[in-house]
Amino acid sequence: MTANEKIRTFGVVLNNKLYFCSGDRNFYEYDPATGQQRVIITTGSWNESSGVVLNNKLYFGSADGNIYEYSEYHLNRNLGKINDNSDNAILNELNYLNPDLDISQLEIINKTKNSAILKIKNNLNNNIKIHYSIDNGQNKIINLNELIKKALFFKFRNENPNLKFKEINYIDTNNLNFSDIEITKKENSFLWSNVPENVCSDKEIINKTPNTRSFNVPACEYNSKSKLVFQITTGLTKTKQENKLNGWNINSDDEMKLTDFTNINNKNSEIINELSNNFDLSNTNKQEQEMILSIFKEPADKFELNPNEKLKITYPVRIITSKVILNLKQKITGNITAKIIDDNNKEQIVTLSITEVMQILQKYSLLPNEITIDKNNDKITFNGEAFFSSEREGPVRTNTVTTIV
């Protein structure tokens, strides 16, 4: 252990590491397990304070007239997917994952699309790097369970500044009411194309005689197919009460049905279709359904060719595709009741309306863009999105006649 000036104090131990200060204005940390030493705080003047440990934090006094606080943060640094990387969203997501963290002592000094560097105030060398990804909305599931838990955490923290959040013991969401899902058309496109592969063998016939002749055209048989594809790209999980402590159970028994959407591509955009509340918006797995439309039979035929003419017969597959982007809208009303335990193991019962939950998230920049709040009617609206396509295929006989020179 070394310093640039005299060491005039005893060290102090915190979390199996030794901390000491020097007249060079630095506080040092020494880890005997690794033999590594580093500067954790640089003050404005010389230091002759041994420091004290209180509530797992270290406090030093300096001749510059200030008392410095230091704590070694052991953080969950992976935020996962976040709605945006604003400073408020990053710090609040980090606080939710680390309830004991005092985010007022943190500031963001560098930020990218996938990570951020956080600086602990009054600490020159102990920066924190966290990781995240911006949710791009593709195959995006809005987890209502997690949103409720976040809102409860911030409500407890704000209303109980002298208590520490420990856990959520119980949440009752049985009083939430989910409306039927309204479906409207957002985008519609139609495309047909020929696939170069042939369903029957190519045939080439040449009339090498000086006279016009009839040639037999072979028969072709092929099973024409139809395929329906449906996928929810932005959905919402619903919550159900579960008896296990801290348990969350997502109701995924209701599977989406392709038959509910087979006629959507024929509807006008201004028409609103409705699905029962049993329809599950949380299932983003792509569903496909393929069937035989009919058997294509091209009978044997005859074709006349003049002298030196060549006939080429192909059967390319023509595919007709209809693609529709659907808007899904669902309204949610009702209340949530929860039991929150503090660090003294005391229980608080909290009741929130679903709009209050979302207003708290909005305040802390954690409200997903897909959710809107209607304060007057005390409800929220979830705006999802789905993709539906219908594809039909069948062969088309193509005759090409050329003259041989």
Side-chain angles (χ1 to χ4, degrees), residues 123-174:
N123 189 327
L124 298 180
N125 298 292
N126 195 8
N127 296 332
I128 302 169
K129 185 173 185 179
I130 61 174
H131 302 274
Y132 49 79
S133 61
I134 306 299
D135 202 322
N136 59 12
Q138 295 179 352
N139 299 338
K140 180 178 182 180
I141 281 292
I142 307 299
N143 190 331
L144 186 58
N145 308 7
E146 198 66 19
L147 296 181
I148 293 171
K149 291 170 70 177
K150 288 180 183 179
L152 289 170
F153 165 73
F154 286 108
K155 181 178 176 62
F156 176 88
R157 189 197 67 176
N158 293 339
E159 294 182 354
N160 302 274
N162 298 321
L163 295 175
K164 288 187 178 180
F165 172 89
K166 184 178 179 181
E167 64 182 0
I168 298 173
N169 192 28
Y170 167 86
I171 296 180
D172 183 0
T173 59
N174 287 325

Side-chain angles (χ1 to χ4, degrees), residues 207-213 305-308:
N207 184 4
K208 297 181 179 180
T209 69
N211 302 315
T212 298
R213 283 190 53 189
L305 290 180
N306 295 319
N308 297 321

Side-chain angles (χ1 to χ4, degrees), residues 82-195:
I82 59 178
N83 295 318
D84 63 75
N85 63 341
S86 66
D87 289 4
N88 281 340
I90 289 174
L91 290 174
N92 288 320
E93 287 281 3
L94 187 66
N95 195 186
Y96 171 68
L97 294 175
N98 304 274
D100 292 335
L101 181 64
D102 182 3
I103 60 173
S104 68
Q105 297 302 311
L106 299 176
E107 57 183 338
I108 297 175
I109 58 175
N110 190 16
K111 184 167 53 178
T112 69
K113 291 182 178 180
N114 303 109
S115 65
I117 303 296
L118 276 62
K119 177 182 179 295
I120 303 173
K121 295 176 181 178
N122 299 323
N123 189 327
L124 298 180
N125 298 292
N126 195 8
N127 296 332
I128 302 169
K129 185 173 185 179
I130 61 174
H131 302 274
Y132 49 79
S133 61
I134 306 299
D135 202 322
N136 59 12
Q138 295 179 352
N139 299 338
K140 180 178 182 180
I141 281 292
I142 307 299
N143 190 331
L144 186 58
N145 308 7
E146 198 66 19
L147 296 181
I148 293 171
K149 291 170 70 177
K150 288 180 183 179
L152 289 170
F153 165 73
F154 286 108
K155 181 178 176 62
F156 176 88
R157 189 197 67 176
N158 293 339
E159 294 182 354
N160 302 274
N162 298 321
L163 295 175
K164 288 187 178 180
F165 172 89
K166 184 178 179 181
E167 64 182 0
I168 298 173
N169 192 28
Y170 167 86
I171 296 180
D172 183 0
T173 59
N174 287 325
N175 291 320
L176 289 182
N177 301 307
F178 296 81
S179 73
D180 290 346
I181 292 97
E182 294 181 354
I183 306 168
T184 54
K185 190 182 298 182
K186 179 181 178 182
E187 297 176 16
N188 190 18
S189 63
F190 180 83
L191 176 70
W192 70 268
S193 59
N194 284 347
V195 179

Side-chain angles (χ1 to χ4, degrees), residues 298-316:
E298 184 75 18
D301 197 2
K302 288 188 176 183
F303 206 95
E304 285 194 348
L305 290 180
N306 295 319
N308 297 321
E309 280 187 338
K310 178 173 69 174
L311 170 66
K312 184 176 182 180
I313 302 173
T314 59
Y315 290 91

Side-chain angles (χ1 to χ4, degrees), residues 156 160 163 166-170 245 337-350:
F156 176 88
N160 302 274
L163 295 175
K166 184 178 179 181
E167 64 182 0
I168 298 173
N169 192 28
Y170 167 86
L245 297 184
T337 302
K339 295 178 181 179
I340 300 178
I341 308 298
D342 62 29
D343 58 336
N344 296 321
N345 291 322
K346 291 186 177 179
E347 182 181 272
Q348 289 190 27
I349 297 178
V350 179

Side-chain angles (χ1 to χ4, degrees), residues 279-301:
F279 185 82
D280 182 18
L281 282 180
S282 67
N283 187 353
T284 59
N285 296 325
K286 183 181 289 187
Q287 292 198 11
E288 297 186 10
Q289 179 179 319
E290 190 171 88
M291 64 189 83
I292 304 290
L293 278 181
S294 60
I295 298 177
F296 173 83
K297 291 184 178 180
E298 184 75 18
D301 197 2

Side-chain angles (χ1 to χ4, degrees), residues 11 24-25 30 58 60 95 111 131 136 145 155 183 209 212 221 239 243 255 266 282 290 294 324 328 354 367 374 388:
D24 61 7
R25 300 190 304 162
Y30 174 74
L58 189 60
F60 287 102
N95 195 186
K111 184 167 53 178
H131 302 274
N136 59 12
N145 308 7
K155 181 178 176 62
I183 306 168
T209 69
T212 298
E221 185 172 309
T239 58
N243 294 326
E255 295 184 357
N266 297 322
S282 67
E290 190 171 88
S294 60
V324 184
L328 309 175
I354 189 66
L367 182 68
D374 189 337
F388 177 84

